[in-house]
Amino acid sequence: MDYSYLYIFLSTLLAIFTTTTLAFLFSAYKLKSHEKSINLPPGSFGWPILGETFAFLYNDHAKFVGDRMKKYSSKIFKTKILGEPTVVLCGTAGHKFVASNEEKLFVVWRPHSMQKLFRSSYQKSASTVIPRQSEMHVVKAPGFLRAKALVGYVVAMDSMVLDHLKTHWDGKQVVEAHRLTQILILTLSAKFFMGLEDHCRIDKLAELMDTMMLALHTIPVNIPGTAFHQAMKAAPAAREIIQSFVKEKKEVMASTGNKIHDLLSYMISTPDPVTGRFMPENEIADKIMGNVAASFNSPAMTTTFIVKFLGERPRIYDKVRIEQLEILKSKKSGEALNWDDMQKMKYSWNVALEAMRLIPPLQGTFREAATDFTYQGYTIPKGWKVYWTVSTTTMNPEYFPAPEEFDPTRFEKASLPPYTNIPFGSGPRICPGKDYARLQILSFMHHLVIRFKWELVNPNCKITGGMNPFPVDGLKVRLQAQPSQA
């Protein structure tokens, strides 16, 4: 038997492996030599390869950051997360530095798990912007999230929230608040972004999105039994639902004329201004999925925790209800909420702000150093990841006295210094959907407190740590119907 071909193949394979390994080692050596020659921030890279990933992802996030601020520096420290050398910038100065240098010193970077789940959403494109709150790409379409458009959303949103409560909450003794707020938020975004009103598809999308959200910040090991594996199965199923609807909508638009009513119809009917090319259906589906995810996770989490805090604090619930009943009394029977009503909900919005301060829907965000830069006297090498986190300001007693207490009136007492409580981000990458999210939250609060009083079934419900906190038991609440008038 002639083994010459096998010998040649194995020799070639060995040569490629050796060359690749030597190239990697040489590159790592050069990087290490460069890092040794500069003044890096204090900190620890933790274990080989894994670094401090497990502590960062699965333990109490504020404690992870706070312990290292005490040990190394209250301004900046280094660590290794998700296989990447990372610096954590702390406090208002760190927030301001990141916001002021977007697209100068920093470029967007997302964890590898997120990149795999939302594939084309991470292709660089002049037609996309990235909101900080949920860190997905959102297509920049003229006007859809501006105040003029939002004014027109209020009446429809009011009706949809009321229908949701009648369908899923009325007549129930116990409900799972987290699951139901997810369905509500997705129902609203599906309507306003896509024109989708099929409740069967919306409920299925909510289930798939929930599975995907649990794996946004995980180690991307795609083996059975892991959250990432489940998410990788859910992503194509969600994409298929959206893509089939894109095809349906495209056919309807072709037969009725290109009328732009929402983001999806805009994407279907608007060619690229440079190439004149229309976006293919699969690419539209990917980008719409990024938009839906961006509008899904953080608002649902915030709404869930508002239910939690109001259920635990009857006095604050009563104040919210009094405010909402005053608005109700000013309206005719059956009259929908309008834009002006939303502006009157000042205490209710302060409750939402306080909920986002105590349990931020997203703990922080990543960037990548586009070049070597200096901060606080330390040099951060190009390619390193940069992370800033809200917990370094939101729980700081210098800005928020008695920070562990739930006190919505703190937002009435004095204007806070910039960059202290920024649940929607700041700078060029501030969440473009922040006003839309505000309408969702306030519409829900209005109808919920008018129709119900509630208590937590499990007052000791565990909230997970990590970057995306959520109630482990779904936040079950026991409902008591309320009269519509005080």
Side-chain angles (χ1 to χ4, degrees):
M1 182 175 179
D2 187 358
Y3 291 96
S4 58
Y5 289 110
L6 179 61
Y7 175 78
I8 292 170
F9 171 75
L10 292 175
S11 298
T12 304
L13 191 63
L14 179 61
I16 292 171
F17 175 77
T18 303
T19 304
T20 303
T21 302
L22 288 173
F24 172 78
L25 291 174
F26 179 68
S27 175
Y29 172 77
K30 282 180 65 179
L31 179 62
K32 204 69 171 176
S33 298
H34 173 60
E35 291 174 1
K36 284 183 177 179
S37 68
I38 59 180
N39 185 29
L40 293 173
S44 169
F45 285 143
W47 294 94
I49 302 176
L50 292 174
E52 298 187 301
T53 299
F54 282 100
F56 177 82
L57 291 180
Y58 304 117
N59 292 345
D60 182 271
H61 190 272
K63 186 175 187 305
F64 174 90
V65 174
D67 287 350
R68 284 153 184 79
M69 288 175 67
K70 291 175 185 175
K71 186 173 182 179
Y72 301 118
S73 166
S74 62
K75 305 293 184 183
I76 182 174
F77 63 86
K78 73 182 179 201
T79 180
K80 191 172 186 180
I81 302 168
L82 299 168
E84 303 285 347
T86 304
V87 291
V88 179
L89 304 187
C90 309
T92 56
H95 294 182
K96 182 178 180 180
F97 186 78
V98 172
S100 303
N101 289 284
E102 294 279 17
E103 301 172 6
K104 299 174 188 174
L105 299 179
F106 306 119
V107 294
V108 172
W109 184 80
R110 300 291 173 258
H112 304 294
S113 54
M114 199 181 290
Q115 295 180 37
K116 291 177 183 294
L117 289 171
F118 296 91
R119 51 191 194 191
S120 77
S121 293
Y122 293 91
Q123 297 170 358
K124 296 185 185 298
S125 168
S127 66
T128 58
V129 294
I130 303 175
R132 170 232 170 279
Q133 202 181 18
S134 50
E135 300 301 299
M136 311 294 172
H137 272 246
V138 171
V139 178
K140 188 191 293 182
F144 287 111
L145 294 175
R146 293 176 186 165
K148 185 177 179 180
L150 295 177
V151 169
Y153 291 170
V154 177
V155 172
M157 189 177 288
D158 176 81
S159 174
M160 293 171 70
V161 170
L162 195 52
D163 286 346
H164 167 84
L165 289 172
K166 289 178 179 178
T167 301
H168 296 286
W169 298 65
D170 280 7
K172 309 292 194 305
Q173 290 186 331
V174 174
V175 298
E176 189 174 304
H178 184 213
R179 171 66 178 160
L180 294 185
T181 58
Q182 287 180 320
I183 291 173
L184 171 62
I185 296 302
L186 192 57
T187 299
L188 295 172
S189 60
K191 163 67 175 175
F192 293 119
F193 295 164
M194 301 167 58
L196 174 62
E197 299 181 71
D198 181 341
H199 290 291
C200 289
R201 282 195 276 194
I202 289 170
D203 288 355
K204 184 61 178 176
L205 266 179
E207 179 185 331
L208 294 169
M209 283 288 173
D210 181 45
T211 301
M212 293 166 65
M213 295 304 105
L214 295 176
L216 287 183
H217 303 93
T218 56
I219 299 171
V221 178
N222 193 5
I223 58 175
T226 64
F228 185 71
H229 178 73
Q230 294 299 318
M232 287 297 286
K233 290 170 59 180
R239 194 175 288 110
E240 174 59 31
I241 292 174
I242 294 171
Q243 188 165 333
S244 67
F245 183 70
V246 170
K247 184 172 182 172
E248 291 172 23
K249 182 145 187 166
K250 196 172 182 180
E251 291 171 354
V252 170
M253 290 177 65
S255 63
T256 60
N258 288 343
K259 293 183 179 179
I260 298 175
H261 298 293
D262 49 51
L263 181 61
L264 176 55
S265 57
Y266 172 86
M267 294 173 67
I268 290 171
S269 62
T270 306
D272 186 285
V274 177
T275 65
R277 165 184 167 272
F278 286 91
M279 200 181 298
E281 290 174 8
N282 64 326
E283 189 175 339
I284 292 174
D286 281 348
K287 293 189 182 300
I288 284 292
M289 191 162 85
N291 277 265
V292 170
S295 63
F296 173 74
N297 196 45
S298 295
M301 288 297 177
T302 296
T303 308
T304 298
F305 289 127
I306 289 171
V307 173
K308 175 183 183 295
F309 287 123
L310 291 181
E312 293 171 332
R313 295 163 174 80
R315 182 181 61 82
I316 293 175
Y317 164 89
D318 288 341
K319 291 183 70 174
V320 171
R321 190 164 194 267
I322 288 169
E323 180 176 76
Q324 297 299 343
L325 284 171
E326 285 301 312
I327 293 170
L328 182 66
K329 289 174 184 176
S330 71
K331 308 184 75 63
K332 297 176 182 177
S333 177
E335 183 183 356
L337 292 172
N338 57 44
W339 181 262
D340 291 338
D341 295 327
M342 296 295 182
Q343 313 319 308
K344 297 173 185 176
M345 300 180 188
K346 298 186 185 302
Y347 183 78
S348 298
W349 184 241
N350 286 342
V351 168
L353 288 175
E354 183 70 341
M356 289 186 280
R357 182 190 71 82
L358 274 174
I359 309 181
L362 186 69
Q363 297 287 339
T365 187
F366 288 96
R367 297 290 180 259
E368 182 178 300
T371 183
D372 288 8
F373 69 90
T374 301
Y375 181 75
Q376 295 290 329
Y378 300 105
T379 299
I380 290 80
K382 177 181 177 179
W384 275 39
K385 305 308 176 277
V386 178
Y387 180 76
W388 68 266
T389 171
V390 297
S391 66
T392 61
T393 57
T394 56
M395 298 304 290
N396 188 334
E398 179 183 347
Y399 309 122
F400 301 100
E404 296 82 10
E405 294 182 10
F406 189 91
D407 179 14
T409 64
R410 67 173 79 246
F411 295 99
E412 302 169 2
K413 295 170 184 175
S415 58
L416 293 166
Y419 304 102
T420 51
N421 189 38
I422 46 176
F424 298 102
S426 60
R429 298 199 182 280
I430 191 170
C431 176
K434 61 185 179 66
D435 293 323
Y436 170 79
R438 180 174 176 270
L439 294 184
Q440 288 180 323
I441 291 166
L442 291 176
S443 295
F444 177 73
M445 290 179 72
H446 172 80
H447 288 293
L448 188 70
V449 299
I450 284 173
R451 299 178 80 84
F452 302 106
K453 192 177 182 69
W454 61 92
E455 62 181 9
L456 273 60
V457 172
N458 177 13
N460 299 314
C461 171
K462 182 182 177 183
I463 307 300
T464 62
M467 291 190 68
N468 290 281
F470 66 91
V472 172
D473 71 352
L475 195 73
K476 293 181 175 66
V477 297
R478 186 173 290 106
L479 297 175
Q480 176 186 341
Q482 288 279 75
S484 62
Q485 298 294 324

